[in-house]
Amino acid sequence: MEWLILRKYMSLLGVGSARIDLILPKETYSPGENIKGYFKIVGGTIEQQIHRIDSDLILINQTNGTEKVIDFTTILTNKIINSTEENEFPFTFKLPIDVPVSSGDISYRFHTKLTFNKGVESSDQDIITIV
């Protein structure tokens, strides 16, 4: 019984929480292209309730060191994920037609965040190239 309580409090601190991974079929895309993949969620040490999944496309300007959110997608849910259970949620994202192409100065990444009902988060980073 003490282990269950300890695991519960550790997951509230993010230790042993469910993990998220954005799975994309490739790394290179064109402006205006539809990106289709999925979010893979693997349960942690205890059952947790997922509150939302957010994924931001971030433009990184290497010249001035700034980051800018270009667009985002959000999935609201009340799904319960059991310990070590694996789930997949579909991901679709349309790149803006006017997005600058990647270069030595400009790069892109998806920052994906999984939020649980207690406010604990798990995150993932995926670099893409726009040509």
Side-chain angles (χ1 to χ4, degrees):
M1 184 65 155
E2 292 90 20
W3 282 108
L4 183 58
I5 294 169
L6 179 61
R7 277 197 253 167
K8 180 178 178 181
Y9 284 110
M10 287 178 69
S11 71
L12 289 174
L13 296 171
V15 178
S17 291
R19 296 180 323 277
I20 190 161
D21 188 13
L22 174 58
I23 307 296
L24 300 174
K26 58 185 185 171
E27 296 176 0
T28 302
Y29 298 92
S30 301
E33 187 172 347
N34 247 348
I35 300 174
K36 293 186 179 187
Y38 62 93
F39 299 110
K40 181 179 179 182
I41 301 173
V42 179
T45 56
I46 64 163
E47 173 185 283
Q48 291 178 289
Q49 184 174 8
I50 299 170
H51 178 65
R52 67 189 293 152
I53 301 168
D54 297 291
S55 192
D56 300 335
L57 176 61
I58 298 171
L59 179 150
I60 304 155
N61 185 323
Q62 304 293 344
T63 304
N64 61 19
T66 60
E67 294 187 359
K68 175 183 171 187
V69 175
I70 300 295
D71 205 352
F72 64 92
T73 185
T74 299
I75 298 172
L76 299 176
T77 182
N78 283 319
K79 172 98 173 110
I80 302 268
I81 185 160
N82 293 311
S83 175
T84 68
E85 175 185 1
E86 290 190 19
N87 278 279
E88 293 179 3
F89 289 83
F91 170 81
T92 55
F93 191 94
K94 182 158 178 68
L95 286 173
I97 194 73
D98 60 350
V99 68
V101 296
S102 298
S103 67
D105 297 330
I106 300 210
S107 61
Y108 294 91
R109 68 181 161 91
F110 279 106
H111 177 240
T112 303
K113 184 170 64 173
L114 177 64
T115 306
F116 305 102
N117 65 338
K118 301 285 187 190
V120 176
E121 299 174 351
S122 173
S123 66
D124 178 46
Q125 308 279 339
D126 293 274
I127 295 170
I128 65 167
T129 302
I130 300 177
V131 294

